Amino acid sequence: MDGNAAIAYGVMRSQVQLVAAYPITPQTPIVETISSLIDTGQYDASYITVESEHSALSALIGAASAGVRTFTASASHGLALMHEVTGVASASRLPIVMAVVSRAIPGPMCLWCDHSDIMTQRDQGWIQLFAQSPQEALDFVMIAYRTGEDPRVLTPVMVDIDGFFCSHLTEPVEVPSPEEAGEFIGGFQPVNACLDPALPYAIDNLTSPEIFTELKRSQDLGMRAAAGVLDERFAQFGQLFGRRYGRILCEGMEDAQTAIVCMGSMAGTVRHVVRQLRQAGQRVGLVRVVAFRPFPTAEVAQALRGVRQVAVIDRVSAMGSFGPLYEEVLAAMKLDGNQNCAYSFVAGLGGRDIWEGTVEAVFRRAQALGEQNAPCREPIWIDLKEGGMGNG
C-alpha cells in the first residue's frame, strides 16, 4: 500500500473513535480510505465531514476534551488554516494525532513537497515525527497515540510524510492484526477529559499575564518529557513487531569524517549513497532526525562528536536566515563543545527530487569547505538550474 493508505490503517489499528477532516492534495486519500473502511464496516468509528481544516481541528478539540481518541490529516494551505487552533489543542493538553502530508506553502502555487508547511507549526507545542516510508507512517501513527496520551506528556502529535515521495509511494507494508495492534495500543483511558454537560467548564479562555508564562512552561515540560516516553514506546514497539526506531537513526557514524543530517524521505537516498561511498572507502555517515520536536539535542551532539564536516539539508528555505534543522543541529553541536565545520544546505523545494547526485554534491561541497576551514555564512542552495540565482 502507499503511505496515505498506511496512515489510514494505522488510524484504524489505533482504535481511533472520531475522525474529522477536510480534503486537500496530497493527503485526501488518507481520509478517503478511512471513510471507505468505516462505510464498508471494516472500521467502527465516527467520521465528520467539515467545511474547512479549521473546523476539523476545532471539532477534534471539542471531542478530545470530552474523552474521545481523535485524528485528522492535512497539508499546506489546510495546515495553515488550522494554525489559529493548533495552539489551542496543545495548550489544552489534548493528545490529538494529525498526519501532515507535507506540501509547499505558496507562493508560487505548488502541489508538491517541501517542509514549509509543517515548519510553520514547529513551535506550536506539537510533537513532530518524520516518517521515511509507508511502513513507518503506519507505525508512527500507533506510536504517536501511545506517546501523546501518556500522563507524563499529554501533548498532540504530528506524523509527517513527504507529499508524493512517501504519500503515493507503494511498498509492501506489514499491517498488524487487531489483536497484535491491541497488545501495543491497549485500552484508551482519557486523562484530562473535562467536558461534561452536568459540569460546565471553560477551555482556552482569556488568560492573564499572572499565569500565562506558567501555563506555557507546563507545556514545555510535557514536551520535554515526551523524549523519554518516545524512547520507551520505540523500544516497546520494537520488541513486539521487530522494527527498531529511535529519535535519531544513524548509518556509518562509527568512524564518519563527513556526515549529512536530514529528515523525511530523502534519508533513504542519503543512506543508499552513504553505503556506496563507504564501499569505495570514504568515511561518510548519516544522522537522520526522526523526532524534530522534542529535538534530540544530546543524541545529535553525541552522534556528531568527532565528525570533521557536517552538512545539514533543510527541505525549506528560511528566507534570509538558516534552515530550522540546521539551527537545531548547530545548537546541539555547540552545546557539546563541538566546533567542527557545519554547513547549511537547501534542497528539494517544491517537489524537486533529491537524487543520488544531489547527495554526492552535498558531500563534496561540505568536504571541500571543511578542508578550507571555511565558515558557513549563509545557506548553500544545491541543484539550482543553470542560470539560477544563488551560490549552489
Side-chain angles (χ1 to χ4, degrees):
M1 62 179 63
D2 63 24
N4 281 331
I7 284 178
Y9 275 80
V11 170
M12 180 170 66
R13 289 295 185 258
S14 298
Q15 303 170 28
V16 174
Q17 299 161 298
L18 176 69
V19 178
Y22 191 83
I24 183 171
T25 301
Q27 79 79 9
T28 301
I30 295 177
V31 294
E32 286 180 337
T33 303
I34 291 173
S35 177
S36 295
L37 290 169
I38 295 172
D39 186 55
T40 56
Q42 300 175 67
Y43 177 24
D44 183 15
S46 297
Y47 186 100
I48 303 177
T49 302
V50 291
E51 70 274 15
S52 72
E53 289 85 356
H54 186 288
S55 299
L57 188 53
S58 297
L60 298 192
I61 288 170
S65 299
V68 175
R69 181 177 278 166
T70 60
F71 172 83
T72 191
S74 195
S76 190
H77 312 61
L79 186 59
L81 187 57
M82 285 183 179
H83 187 78
E84 185 179 11
V85 283
T86 50
V88 175
S90 58
S92 302
R93 308 301 293 277
L94 301 173
I96 297 163
V97 173
M98 180 195 313
V100 177
V101 184
S102 273
R103 165 185 162 187
I105 290 279
M109 182 67 174
C110 181
L111 287 175
W112 294 275
C113 171
D114 66 32
H115 292 161
S116 54
D117 56 357
I118 192 168
M119 285 302 161
T120 65
Q121 305 291 328
R122 66 184 183 270
D123 296 323
Q124 283 289 86
W126 288 61
I127 297 165
Q128 293 183 338
L129 305 178
F130 283 74
Q132 174 190 291
S133 66
Q135 183 69 68
E136 290 187 1
L138 188 156
D139 296 347
F140 286 5
V141 167
M142 295 174 62
I143 291 167
Y145 282 105
R146 286 296 318 281
T147 302
E149 292 171 357
D150 190 287
R152 295 167 289 179
V153 179
L154 292 178
T155 298
V157 187
M158 294 180 185
V159 176
D160 185 272
I161 60 173
D162 287 346
F164 296 105
F165 291 113
C166 184
S167 65
H168 289 64
L169 170 69
T170 300
E171 291 184 338
V173 174
E174 293 186 18
V175 180
S177 69
E179 294 75 22
E180 291 170 334
E183 188 175 353
F184 178 75
I185 291 294
F188 175 49
Q189 295 184 342
V191 175
N192 57 343
C194 55
L195 288 185
D196 184 344
L199 184 64
Y201 194 94
I203 296 176
D204 198 52
N205 52 316
L206 184 63
T207 302
S208 76
E210 293 297 319
I211 59 172
F212 187 90
T213 299
E214 287 69 27
L215 291 174
K216 302 311 287 185
R217 176 55 172 161
S218 174
Q219 285 182 256
D220 180 68
L221 291 172
M223 179 69 77
R224 293 180 185 279
V229 175
L230 275 168
D231 290 341
E232 294 174 12
R233 299 298 175 248
F234 283 140
Q236 292 169 359
F237 193 92
Q239 290 171 359
L240 284 171
F241 300 103
R243 294 187 289 277
R244 307 286 175 176
Y245 302 118
R247 287 180 289 131
I248 67 168
L249 296 172
C250 298
E251 179 82 23
M253 291 303 298
E254 60 274 5
D255 63 348
Q257 294 182 340
T258 307
I260 285 178
V261 184
C262 65
M263 300 190 297
S265 63
M266 76 173 82
T269 306
V270 176
R271 184 175 63 248
H272 173 69
V273 173
V274 163
R275 290 175 179 175
Q276 287 187 322
L277 294 179
R278 289 186 68 84
Q279 287 179 356
Q282 295 193 41
R283 293 166 62 182
V284 296
L286 161 68
V287 177
R288 175 192 160 201
V289 175
V290 172
F292 185 71
R293 286 290 184 270
F295 193 79
T297 303
E299 290 74 15
V300 168
Q302 175 65 32
L304 296 175
R305 190 169 294 161
V307 177
R308 294 182 181 178
Q309 298 97 25
V310 177
V312 183
I313 305 178
D314 274 283
R315 202 164 202 149
V316 60
S317 167
M319 300 295 182
S321 186
F322 293 100
L325 180 59
Y326 176 77
E327 291 183 339
E328 297 285 358
V329 170
L330 198 64
M333 293 173 65
K334 290 188 181 251
L335 182 67
D336 194 53
N338 186 347
Q339 300 299 317
N340 294 343
C341 297
Y343 300 101
S344 170
F345 288 83
V346 175
L349 303 187
R352 183 163 295 179
D353 195 13
I354 295 176
W355 63 297
E356 292 168 296
T358 308
V359 178
E360 292 165 358
V362 169
F363 272 126
R364 287 196 302 270
R365 191 69 178 271
Q367 289 165 347
L369 290 169
E371 289 170 0
Q372 302 168 23
N373 201 30
C376 183
R377 301 189 185 280
E378 61 181 75
I380 301 164
W381 291 61
I382 207 76
D383 275 357
L384 284 172
K385 293 186 180 297
E386 186 176 351
M389 301 297 293
N391 58 359

